[in-house]
Structure formats: C-alpha cells, structure tokens
Amino acid sequence: MKTEKLKFKLELWATYWDQVPVVEILINDYSHYKKPINGTEKEPTVIEFEHELTEGKKYSLIMERSGKNGKQTVVENGHIIKDQLLHIKSIEIDEIDIGALVYDGVYTPKYPEPWATQQKQAGNALPESFKNVTTIGHNGRWELAFASPFYMWLLENLY
C-alpha cells in the first residue's frame, strides 16, 4: 500500500491565571506531543511533527486537553472572572492552512463534578459534544477526522 508523510503544524495558546492547560496531540492512538501550553494569542505555542499515513485509511487529529481542576474557574456574582482555556489559533497540514475545516472538529468535554450534576438538577442539558469550537474550556477531547490521501480528502471537504 502507498503511504504519504504529512507535516502537521498547530498553533495553540492559553488563557490562564494560575496553572497552564496541558494538551496531548495524537494521530489516532499515536502520541506526538504532551506538554503544557503557555503561548499567547500573539505568540502561540507552535507544535510541529510528521506522521506517515497509509492511503485509503481514515485518521483523526486529536487534542486531549487536561490540567484543569475545579479551582481554575473563579466565579463571582454569577460571572466567570478567572478561567483556564485552551485556544486553537491555526492548523496546517502539509503546509496548507486548513482554515474553516477546523470547525469540523468535534469537541467532547469531560464535565467536572459536582458542577455537571448541579446543572442537570437545575434542568440544564449538557451537550455530549460540540462542533465549531476553537476554544476548549473543560478537559476533554477535540477531534478532526480526515483521510489519506490527504489532498483528495481536502478537495472533497473544502467546499
């Protein structure tokens, strides 16, 4: 089977006041990166790696966000005044900015307890997952599905 080696470049940044968020970057189940993200919007953390893909197979670019505990979100008078957030600034695959395709990623949060139970008891339904997300608040997983050959997938999904 044919293979292709792709370059990945992710620009991530964080909003935090106490502890920085941690992200693990995977292609399927292969981890390429796991470190805290302390970049800013103007100077994001740049993560670059290569991954070899087998043509005809499906893949997922995964960001597993962690490092947030109940003390990282400070609420006063019903308003969040301090928080810890992870932001996706851009994603390039093989030197092509995927642009709006970033919004096809699916974010599945791991809601913290006892907050999640309190929300459900108050009648607030918590979605299992979200699309159109570039700011990740709760610990959880952001996942973008794609396929090889990458350029065929890109052409099929751009418009």
Side-chain angles (χ1 to χ4, degrees):
M1 291 195 128
K2 285 186 170 183
T3 62
E4 62 179 336
K5 186 177 273 191
L6 298 179
K7 295 178 185 176
F8 291 80
K9 180 180 176 182
L10 293 80
E11 291 187 345
L12 307 177
W13 62 283
T15 302
Y16 63 96
W17 63 278
D18 179 33
Q19 296 176 349
V20 297
V22 175
V23 71
E24 182 173 15
I25 309 292
L26 304 103
I27 301 292
N28 291 355
D29 58 358
Y30 185 88
S31 178
H32 285 277
Y33 181 95
K34 186 175 183 179
K35 291 183 183 172
I37 300 296
N38 61 1
T40 63
E41 186 173 12
K42 289 184 180 178
E43 292 185 29
T45 299
V46 177
I47 302 159
E48 295 182 280
F49 61 90
E50 291 184 344
H51 192 90
E52 192 165 305
L53 310 174
T54 301
E55 289 189 12
K57 292 198 174 183
K58 295 184 180 190
Y59 293 88
S60 289
L61 171 62
I62 300 165
M63 288 184 229
E64 193 74 44
R65 185 246 202 271
S66 61
K68 187 172 187 175
N69 60 41
K71 296 177 182 176
Q72 296 306 303
T73 303
V74 178
V75 179
E76 285 183 10
N77 300 321
H79 298 286
I80 296 173
I81 60 165
K82 294 180 185 177
D83 206 355
Q84 183 201 75
L85 304 169
L86 176 68
H87 308 273
I88 302 169
K89 185 167 184 172
S90 69
I91 298 175
E92 288 181 14
I93 302 176
D94 228 26
E95 299 181 1
I96 297 171
D97 188 329
I98 67 166
L101 288 175
V102 73
Y103 297 111
D104 287 347
V106 176
Y107 167 50
T108 306
K110 293 178 184 169
Y111 295 112
E113 290 294 346
W115 180 84
T117 299
Q118 293 166 349
Q119 293 301 306
K120 289 174 187 170
Q121 288 171 347
N124 298 323
L126 299 175
E128 192 175 304
S129 63
F130 299 87
K131 271 189 141 182
N132 301 317
V133 171
T134 58
T135 297
I136 302 169
H138 298 289
N139 291 334
R141 175 178 279 222
W142 181 95
E143 190 168 344
L144 177 69
F146 65 100
S148 177
F150 173 70
Y151 288 96
M152 291 300 294
W153 173 86
L154 188 64
L155 288 171
E156 291 169 0
N157 287 275
L158 272 177
Y159 304 104

